[in-house]
Amino acid sequence: QVQLVESGGGLVQAGGSLRLSCATTGRTAARRPMGWFRQAPGKEREFVAASDWNGGSARYVDSVKGRFTISKDNAKNTVYLQMNSLKPEDTAVYYCAAREGLIATISKADYTYWGQGTQVTVSS
């Protein structure tokens, strides 16, 4: 079974930075494609970033391109989301997710395993 444990959320001012971490457990957990999604109050959960199983490629939603970076530490079996130049509209609960297969996708329906979510609040 794959388990995901998130950390790193918090309160920052606009223009600041934050790094989210997603530690994975379970057999070959780190070899699965990983994604980050976020959900603001009253809105659906939306795709933010994803990485293929080997961390060799990544996809991002247009609104975070150039500001967010997804990466993987193989030794620690941990996936990160580095968030720079944060904006108030980035405020949401951020979720880490994993899916079976090899390719990163952008649909939340494709992901089988989910973390508990971590709150990110960006003040103006």
Side-chain angles (χ1 to χ4, degrees), residues 17-70:
S17 298
L18 203 62
R19 187 178 74 164
L20 306 183
S21 299
C22 177
T24 66
T25 60
R27 185 178 180 183
T28 65
R31 299 187 184 186
R32 293 174 170 80
M34 303 293 299
W36 287 95
F37 296 77
R38 65 187 181 187
Q39 187 168 19
K43 298 183 179 180
E44 289 195 0
R45 193 171 302 181
E46 68 171 351
F47 167 78
V48 177
S51 176
D52 287 347
W53 72 278
N54 62 356
S57 63
R59 295 185 173 93
Y60 301 92
V61 67
D62 287 345
S63 62
V64 309
K65 288 181 178 178
R67 300 190 297 121
F68 291 10
T69 303
I70 186 171

Side-chain angles (χ1 to χ4, degrees), residues 56-115:
S57 63
R59 295 185 173 93
Y60 301 92
V61 67
D62 287 345
S63 62
V64 309
K65 288 181 178 178
R67 300 190 297 121
F68 291 10
T69 303
I70 186 171
S71 61
K72 180 176 178 292
D73 186 327
N74 290 330
K76 297 181 179 180
N77 293 320
T78 301
V79 177
Y80 303 96
L81 184 67
Q82 178 67 45
M83 304 183 294
N84 298 325
S85 301
L86 283 163
K87 304 175 181 179
E89 50 263 46
D90 294 319
T91 295
V93 177
Y94 284 70
Y95 296 89
C96 176
R99 68 181 299 267
E100 302 294 341
L102 303 175
I103 301 173
T105 65
I106 64 173
S107 174
K108 61 181 182 291
D110 294 334
Y111 289 80
T112 304
Y113 311 99
W114 293 85

